[in-house]
Amino acid sequence: MDTSLAAKRLELWAKASKNPKLQAVEIALCKKDPVYWFNHYAWTNDPRDNPDKPKKLPFALYDFQEWFIRELETNIRNGKSLVVEKSRDMGATWMIMGMFLWGWQFEGWSFHCGSRRETEVDGPSKLDPTAHLFGKFRYMLYNQPKWMRPGDIDWKVSKNDAKLSITNPDNGASLTGESANPAFGRQLRKKAVFLDEFNFWEAAENALGACQDTAPCQILNSSVEGETTSYARRANDDRNIIIPYPKGLEMIKEKGALDLCAVPPKRALSQYDPTEEDLASSRWRVYTLWWPIHPGKSRVEYKATKENKSEDKLASEWDINYSLSVSGRVFNQFKEHRHVMKDKHMPYDRRYKLYRIWDFGRVNATLYMQVDEYNRKRILLERILENSNTPDQLAVAQQDEKEYFPGARIIDICDPAGSYQDERGNSTDIDILEDAGVYPEFDRILHLPHRTRKERGLERIKVDLQKTPKGEEGFKLWCPDEDTGCPVLKKAFEGGYAYKKDISGNLLDKVDEKHPYEDVMDNLIYFYIQTDNEGPNIYDDLSIGGSYAADTHYIGY
């Protein structure tokens, strides 16, 4: 760091302390421009031990940070909500809390903020006074010169500064806070609300819903972990407006980040130029703060981190990779570049049996797959029906058979629970299928206890993910895009299907069975258990369906 920057800042402050006119000029400059205030009056704190670097550091904004702060001001002022997806140490939380302080101090805006736990919002901070949101706010407030701070009071003993509440004595603006809860921010009225590390909130969807009327601007900020959280769904909504850093792609290319990262965050590469209609709309904005746009981060640091970090930590803290960032993934062996087929047309081969697997319940799932003579599994199509019944599921399957698999030799397998009759004596799920001429197998599955069948099935899948019979992957699923083939099964493999965690974040040995990931995975488990120890699944007559030629091997989807 250029230590002269702090010296120059303190020199300016010393001059202004004896010159009321200069004070008035500086206050006017700060009120006019938050970037000026950051670069001349805001301080940050780095609690890490580094003998070559002081802990207290003057904010000296990088270009991307100046851009982001101006975007924050615009969105807060205009009441537009935003999602911030970030690599680690980009300064996002500091910038947001700094903008809150600037608005509270110079505009009279009131704010509400929260994080996972109360101690992350406001709490004891003996080792690091800036470990929580209020600590960052206070650090920047108190480290301004007295003539810049609002109110002619001693802030450290004033009632204006209480736990989870700080009030501006000059204009009545307030900063309030609370921990994550289903009623977060309800009945408050603020200029903006900030939900920090929102990806990790419990009852996140309820919390976001509760604060919809609290403020016109909601700010979601987080590192990523998985594609199934409320934060991930909000960030990845196709209706969002992507706001790329104008110099981002140039910096990404300069650092060769595309060569280092197997799956770069797609929004960081965007060159989309929002229209006036976009900017006037109420749709969420998405900002991607990926490490290459930070001048202080380098290829060397990334490579060193990659050697020492687990795949999920690197994906979460550096790569903004939603799918690989899940800790506790059941299938760490699954890799998109190895196990996902992206052919334009469904790779259905008429020569092989077609397995159709049925899972019944609140979410009805049907899975179609084939196995060749080398025991290589190819998962072709999933059908997931929520709030449906077995007749609905059957109707969709009959249409699929007619449209995609005409003349196929179908082997049906199902959830044994489909043979159970309800208390009203209604037809079972299997009765409904059999009445339509569909006779599913489930005897081998039924003979195993539920936990045993799940453990055995998962183990079989893991083994196949590592096999390469005749030089080809032993397991592949077809998913050319996010809506075709097996997108839910793909997300299940990438982390939607993961082990549970306790309240402290420690992994348990029990799978967190979330719909619909559990349902499609159960389909696979039923297949593996029911077909265990079966021989090759190829037709006796290989002439059925023709040769491997592309025009006969692939069936249009």
Side-chain angles (χ1 to χ4, degrees):
M1 185 197 74
D2 183 2
T3 54
S4 64
L5 182 64
K8 290 177 181 178
R9 177 178 291 195
L10 294 176
E11 183 180 350
L12 170 64
W13 292 11
K15 289 179 180 179
S17 66
K18 302 174 183 178
N19 187 338
K21 290 185 178 180
L22 181 55
Q23 292 176 20
V25 169
E26 287 297 307
I27 291 172
L29 288 171
C30 289
K31 179 177 174 59
K32 181 180 179 181
D33 184 4
V35 168
Y36 183 88
W37 175 80
F38 266 96
N39 281 331
H40 291 82
Y41 291 92
W43 298 77
T44 183
N45 177 60
D46 188 346
R48 291 169 291 195
D49 291 327
N50 186 341
D52 300 321
K53 186 178 180 182
K55 294 184 182 299
K56 181 180 177 181
L57 302 168
F59 251 110
L61 297 173
Y62 294 112
D63 187 81
F64 85 90
Q65 293 174 323
E66 290 192 6
W67 163 79
F68 182 64
I69 284 167
R70 296 198 190 285
E71 290 289 322
L72 279 175
E73 181 194 5
T74 298
N75 287 312
I76 293 172
R77 193 176 294 278
N78 296 331
K80 307 299 183 182
S81 295
L82 58 144
V83 177
V84 184
E85 50 182 12
K86 63 185 181 68
S87 299
R88 188 178 181 181
D89 290 338
M90 299 297 283
T93 303
W94 275 98
M95 287 188 283
I96 294 168
M97 292 309 298
M99 269 305 304
F100 276 20
L101 174 55
W102 178 86
W104 173 91
Q105 183 166 320
F106 297 106
E107 294 284 351
W109 293 341
S110 292
F111 301 100
H112 191 61
C113 63
S115 194
R116 292 170 292 184
R117 306 177 186 89
E118 186 174 294
T119 53
E120 295 173 356
V121 185
D122 193 4
S125 50
K126 293 181 179 179
L127 297 178
D128 176 13
T130 62
H132 42 70
L133 300 179
F134 271 70
K136 292 176 174 64
F137 188 95
R138 290 190 184 99
Y139 195 82
M140 290 182 279
L141 171 62
Y142 293 164
N143 278 298
Q144 296 177 102
K146 185 177 180 180
W147 53 265
M148 179 63 74
R149 296 195 298 262
D152 186 17
I153 59 176
D154 185 348
W155 273 98
K156 295 185 178 180
V157 298
S158 170
K159 293 182 179 180
N160 290 68
D161 185 354
K163 185 175 182 180
L164 297 172
S165 178
I166 302 178
T167 304
N168 188 322
D170 288 347
N171 57 31
S174 64
L175 172 72
T176 53
E178 62 183 308
S179 59
N181 69 85
F184 179 81
R186 181 166 287 160
Q187 297 183 341
L188 297 174
R189 293 297 177 263
K190 304 287 182 174
K191 185 69 174 177
V193 292
F194 175 34
L195 297 83
D196 194 34
E197 290 299 342
F198 186 63
N199 196 78
F200 307 96
W201 282 36
E202 293 183 9
E205 202 67 33
N206 291 334
L208 185 59
C211 68
Q212 289 294 304
D213 295 327
T214 302
C217 171
Q218 291 99 41
I219 303 172
L220 310 184
N221 176 59
S222 193
S223 49
V224 305
E225 185 176 321
E227 297 181 301
T228 65
T229 64
S230 295
Y231 171 83
R233 289 195 297 271
R234 178 65 64 183
N236 293 316
D237 192 319
D238 291 337
R239 295 168 294 181
N240 293 339
I241 301 169
I242 299 170
I243 311 289
Y245 173 49
K247 300 179 183 178
L249 191 57
E250 177 185 347
M251 296 183 71
I252 290 166
K253 290 179 178 178
E254 283 180 359
K255 292 188 178 181
L258 300 180
D259 298 329
L260 296 174
C261 180
V263 186
K266 60 183 179 181
R267 285 181 284 271
L269 309 181
S270 172
Q271 293 182 286
Y272 180 70
D273 187 12
T275 64
E276 289 186 11
E277 183 180 354
D278 287 335
L279 298 177
S281 77
S282 59
R283 290 182 291 160
W284 285 71
R285 284 88 167 117
V286 181
Y287 294 85
T288 304
L289 305 183
W290 192 31
W291 69 266
I293 69 174
H294 192 306
K297 293 186 178 294
S298 67
R299 287 174 59 92
V300 174
E301 184 182 1
Y302 181 88
K303 287 182 176 179
T305 303
K306 191 172 185 178
E307 291 178 359
N308 297 310
K309 291 276 187 183
S310 62
E311 181 183 58
D312 60 285
K313 288 295 184 183
L314 186 74
S316 175
E317 297 177 1
W318 283 75
D319 290 342
I320 316 181
N321 187 314
Y322 287 83
S323 62
L324 297 181
S325 59
V326 180
S327 58
R329 282 196 302 154
V330 174
F331 300 103
N332 287 317
Q333 304 86 348
F334 183 86
K335 309 294 179 185
E336 181 174 356
H337 67 279
R338 289 181 54 190
H339 299 115
V340 177
M341 300 178 286
K342 297 190 176 183
D343 313 73
K344 181 179 179 180
H345 299 292
M346 182 193 296
Y348 163 57
D349 193 324
R350 295 178 185 273
R351 300 179 307 162
Y352 303 118
K353 296 177 186 177
L354 179 70
Y355 289 92
R356 181 170 57 191
I357 308 104
W358 307 73
D359 182 55
F360 312 111
R362 191 178 72 182
V363 176
N364 287 295
T366 312
L367 198 67
Y368 298 85
M369 61 183 290
Q370 293 186 293
V371 184
D372 69 11
E373 65 267 40
Y374 302 112
N375 209 28
R376 295 180 298 215
K377 281 77 174 179
R378 298 297 180 255
I379 322 302
L380 305 176
L381 183 64
E382 66 185 28
R383 292 299 192 201
I384 298 168
L385 304 177
E386 297 186 11
N387 302 316
S388 63
N389 54 35
T390 306
D392 296 332
Q393 186 181 17
L394 175 62
V396 172
Q398 289 171 330
Q399 182 60 33
D400 286 338
E401 182 178 351
K402 179 180 178 181
E403 186 172 352
Y404 303 123
F405 312 112
R409 182 185 173 192
I410 299 178
I411 308 297
D412 287 289
I413 297 171
C414 80
D415 176 2
S419 63
Y420 304 153
Q421 199 169 51
D422 65 23
E423 65 277 3
R424 290 172 293 183
N426 293 328
S427 296
T428 68
D429 298 308
I430 291 176
D431 287 338
I432 294 171
L433 296 186
E434 290 182 345
D435 286 345
V438 176
Y439 300 93
E441 302 173 4
F442 58 90
D443 54 303
R444 293 183 182 177
I445 307 168
L446 187 61
H447 291 155
L448 286 177
H450 183 271
R451 183 177 179 87
T452 303
R453 78 174 67 140
K454 179 152 289 193
E455 290 175 348
R456 187 173 297 180
L458 295 179
E459 191 58 39
R460 297 287 193 277
I461 297 169
K462 291 177 182 179
V463 169
D464 270 352
L465 286 170
Q466 299 177 81
K467 286 183 175 179
T468 54
K470 295 292 181 179
E472 290 188 26
E473 297 297 337
F475 183 101
K476 280 191 173 185
L477 60 86
W478 182 57
C479 188
D481 56 53
E482 295 180 358
D483 301 308
T484 309
C486 305
V488 173
L489 183 61
K490 176 176 176 285
K491 289 182 179 180
F493 274 110
E494 291 175 332
Y497 197 73
Y499 292 107
K500 283 186 174 181
K501 297 178 182 177
D502 63 21
I503 194 169
S504 300
N506 301 310
L507 291 173
L508 306 175
D509 64 354
K510 183 177 176 60
V511 173
D512 190 1
E513 297 180 338
K514 296 179 181 178
H515 299 290
Y517 308 108
E518 170 200 10
D519 306 282
V520 288
M521 198 57 68
D522 281 348
N523 285 130
L524 268 184
I525 291 170
Y526 299 147
F527 164 80
Y528 273 90
I529 299 302
Q530 185 62 29
T531 62
D532 198 17
N533 298 321
E534 280 193 7
N537 288 282
I538 191 168
Y539 282 140
D540 294 332
D541 182 0
L542 288 180
S543 65
I544 298 177
S547 67
Y548 273 112
D551 60 345
T552 55
H553 183 54
Y554 290 100
I555 305 299
Y557 181 77

